[in-house]
Structure formats: C-alpha cells, structure tokens
Amino acid sequence: MAEQNFVFHICKNKKCNNGWRDVDLTNAKSRPPKWKYCDECCERYGFVNPPYPPKKQLSEKQKEVIEKNKFQKRKKDEIPNETKEGDKDE
C-alpha cells in the first residue's frame, strides 16, 4: 500500500474559520490550500467541492502571448508630447 500524504485545508468561504485534515492532492509545501469548502458550508449553503484542485497553469499559446507582449508599452504608459511645433513661436 502506498503512503498517503495529508494536508491541513482552510475553508474557501471567507466568513468561515474552519480547517480540517484531508488528502494532499496538490503536494502543498507551506501554505494551507484554500480551494475547498468545509462540510458545514457545503451543507448550509449548498456549495460543492471540485474533485480536483483548479488548474492555474497557462496553455502554451497563452505563455507565448505573454512573452511576446512582455516588453511592449501600453498606450496609457506613454507620455504625450504637450508642446506642438507651432506653439514654440509664442
């Protein structure tokens, strides 16, 4: 039988302070995961826990777009030239 790791979870509901021990599906290293609701919140509010943690990984295409646009300036970051050529004579 394989050794099973456990982790301390914190309820995803911000108004709930419950925590519990559960099977570690994410190989958590330091911070307690917050992607599940506790049993009380599931019963009281009808929340449903996902069977697996949500994926936060980007697709290859998303990574390419981010890398491509990494060093481009946004229009709002550019400083408009307030002096015009015709205004210099005044």
Side-chain angles (χ1 to χ4, degrees):
M1 179 180 265
E3 186 176 319
Q4 199 167 27
N5 293 327
F6 292 91
V7 68
F8 183 80
H9 276 271
I10 295 176
C11 185
K12 186 176 178 179
N13 183 1
K14 302 282 186 202
K15 297 179 181 179
C16 178
N17 291 324
N18 286 342
W20 68 97
R21 187 180 71 139
D22 199 2
V23 176
D24 185 11
L25 298 175
T26 61
N27 296 323
K29 301 292 182 208
S30 60
R31 295 182 184 171
K34 296 180 182 177
W35 59 273
K36 280 186 170 183
Y37 292 103
C38 68
D39 290 338
E40 290 179 21
C41 287
C42 287
E43 290 175 12
R44 185 180 299 159
Y45 303 111
F47 296 143
V48 177
N49 284 323
Y52 299 101
K55 292 184 179 181
K56 292 186 179 180
Q57 296 176 347
L58 300 174
S59 69
E60 289 301 319
K61 186 172 183 178
Q62 290 172 324
K63 290 178 185 177
E64 288 174 9
V65 169
I66 289 172
E67 190 63 31
K68 176 183 167 189
N69 297 328
K70 193 175 192 177
F71 298 107
Q72 290 183 352
K73 286 188 175 182
R74 296 178 293 178
K75 288 185 179 181
K76 71 176 192 175
D77 291 340
E78 296 176 2
I79 300 172
N81 189 0
E82 294 180 7
T83 59
K84 296 180 183 176
E85 290 180 22
D87 294 341
K88 292 180 183 178
D89 295 336
E90 294 177 6

